[in-house]
Amino acid sequence: MTPDVAVVGGGIIGTATAAFLAEAGARVTLYESTDIAAGASGRNSGVIQQPFDSALVGLYRRSLEEYRGLAAAVPSAFALGAEPSGLLYVGPESAADEAARLVAAWADAYPETAPELVPGPALRALEPGLAEGLAACRLGIGFPVAPAAATFAFALLARQRGARIARGGALLRVDRDRATGVLNGGRFEPAGAVVVAAGPWTQPVIGDGAWPPIGRSWGAVASLALEGPPRHVLEEIDIDIEPDDAVEGQATAADTDVGFGFSLVTAAGQSALGSTFLPDRPDQAAVLPALRERGARYVPAIATAPLAAMRSCARPVTPDGRPLIGPVPGIAGAFVAAGHGPWGISTGPGSARLIADVVLGRTAVADVPGALDAARFGAPQRTPVPG
């Protein structure tokens, strides 16, 4: 039986999209080339966090709603705290002016996040494991979760709702400017519509070497067994995760500070120490000392905490740091939801709900925010897929 929709990509967006489409009664096949949550959706730092970018906040808020629904639907597979753990942007006391600037900016844009300046003595009282001589901006955001938990839970929910999950590196099949299905291992499998949610692998799935303009920013994270880890999510105050930092094809890092930032998230008994923003796949063993050195500036115990595991992933990054959501321009019946950078877990379910509603006709294409419009970088110049 021909599925109504083929979804390509087994990350957070693909699995959630499959679950939402199946919930609406669509026949769905989800294609994943390796394993569910094999990429950034399973190798992230493990936090659902509000972005500052106003174009992404709506997706984040909708994602929180969807996560609540997921926890209610499959409580054995996923849980979300009733309240955020709080996030601390930390820096040296010499950066107190920057902390105050962040407090003012968040208070102006999102007063509900309760931003506050936390100076040195108060900060040590709040988080005794922090180093001396620091200051912070505290925000009432941040929900730590096990990195792959939500993606596995959405995959489970999709199956429960009747979606089929197939193994294979599916490629979009187009005939006369219309998507007709996918080529999976060279075999044509028809579908009424195709949603490509393949993250940094979206370009080859669609069949254009340049569209969508999604690059790869590689992240490496070390899982540490910290005694008495911080209760808050921690990020260094000047962390820079914008897409023009270190993206595939740009200059490589010249020293241990370029392409490195500090973050620490404790979930499911492990503390995830991150993170890198590098143009090429990192040697995990080689980056670990630099991650420890940078992290120990803020949490001294990081220097000697036992290493439980390391993981790395390619984040899919667009030129403006915002995802592409909507119809693939020039190809009827083809849709894309990809390019979420470091915000996939935080905004993925909201993106999935939006693209599912567009496919189902519940949301008009014209109602997709322009900042997320899949056509804003032009249209693909496709190389036809043989077969």
Side-chain angles (χ1 to χ4, degrees), residues 17-311:
T17 299
F20 297 153
L21 290 168
E23 178 187 35
R27 296 187 304 275
V28 180
T29 298
L30 171 67
Y31 295 88
E32 167 51 44
S33 61
T34 55
D35 296 300
I36 297 298
S41 294
R43 296 171 178 268
N44 54 85
S45 291
V47 61
I48 300 165
Q49 177 180 325
Q50 178 177 328
F52 187 78
D53 186 348
S54 60
L56 303 181
V57 171
L59 293 178
Y60 163 77
R61 290 173 176 166
R62 185 57 189 263
S63 294
L64 275 187
E65 294 177 15
E66 300 299 348
Y67 279 129
R68 299 292 184 200
L70 179 66
V74 285
S76 62
F78 182 76
L80 189 69
E83 298 293 335
S85 65
L87 181 144
L88 291 172
Y89 282 115
V90 294
E93 287 182 328
S94 60
D97 287 347
E98 175 64 11
R101 187 196 66 79
L102 281 177
V103 168
W106 278 87
D108 182 59
Y110 311 110
E112 69 279 5
T113 64
E116 60 177 315
L117 181 65
V118 188
L123 184 59
R124 289 268 293 172
L126 185 65
E127 288 288 1
L130 291 179
E132 296 182 357
L134 300 176
C137 163
R138 186 191 185 280
L139 303 173
I141 62 175
F143 294 85
V145 294
T151 306
F152 287 141
F154 271 121
L156 173 62
L157 187 60
R159 289 191 186 95
Q160 290 178 349
R161 291 173 172 172
R164 169 177 168 257
I165 297 181
R167 189 76 168 268
L171 303 175
L172 179 67
R173 171 68 181 267
V174 179
D175 294 323
R176 296 186 177 89
D177 297 325
R178 171 169 287 278
T180 56
V182 300
L183 286 174
N184 187 24
R187 185 180 72 179
F188 174 55
E189 298 186 13
V194 180
V195 177
V196 182
W201 297 276
T202 294
Q203 285 179 358
V205 171
I206 290 177
D208 182 0
W211 195 97
I214 296 176
R216 299 175 185 177
S217 176
W218 284 88
V221 174
S223 288
L224 304 178
L226 277 174
E227 290 188 15
R231 302 183 305 277
H232 289 76
V233 175
L234 304 181
E235 289 188 4
E236 65 182 340
I237 205 163
D238 56 353
I239 194 168
D240 192 351
I241 58 176
E242 294 306 311
D244 57 357
D245 248 343
V247 178
E248 192 174 52
Q250 297 182 0
T252 57
D255 58 56
T256 56
D257 273 347
V258 177
F260 281 72
F262 165 67
S263 64
L264 190 71
V265 183
T266 299
Q270 295 290 328
S271 296
L273 170 66
S275 181
T276 66
F277 302 87
L278 301 172
D280 301 301
R281 183 191 294 270
D283 179 330
Q284 294 180 356
V287 301
L288 178 59
L291 286 174
R292 283 193 187 271
E293 187 279 330
R294 196 175 189 99
R297 302 176 192 175
Y298 303 96
V299 180
I302 284 173
T304 56
L307 176 68
M310 286 202 70
R311 56 185 182 268

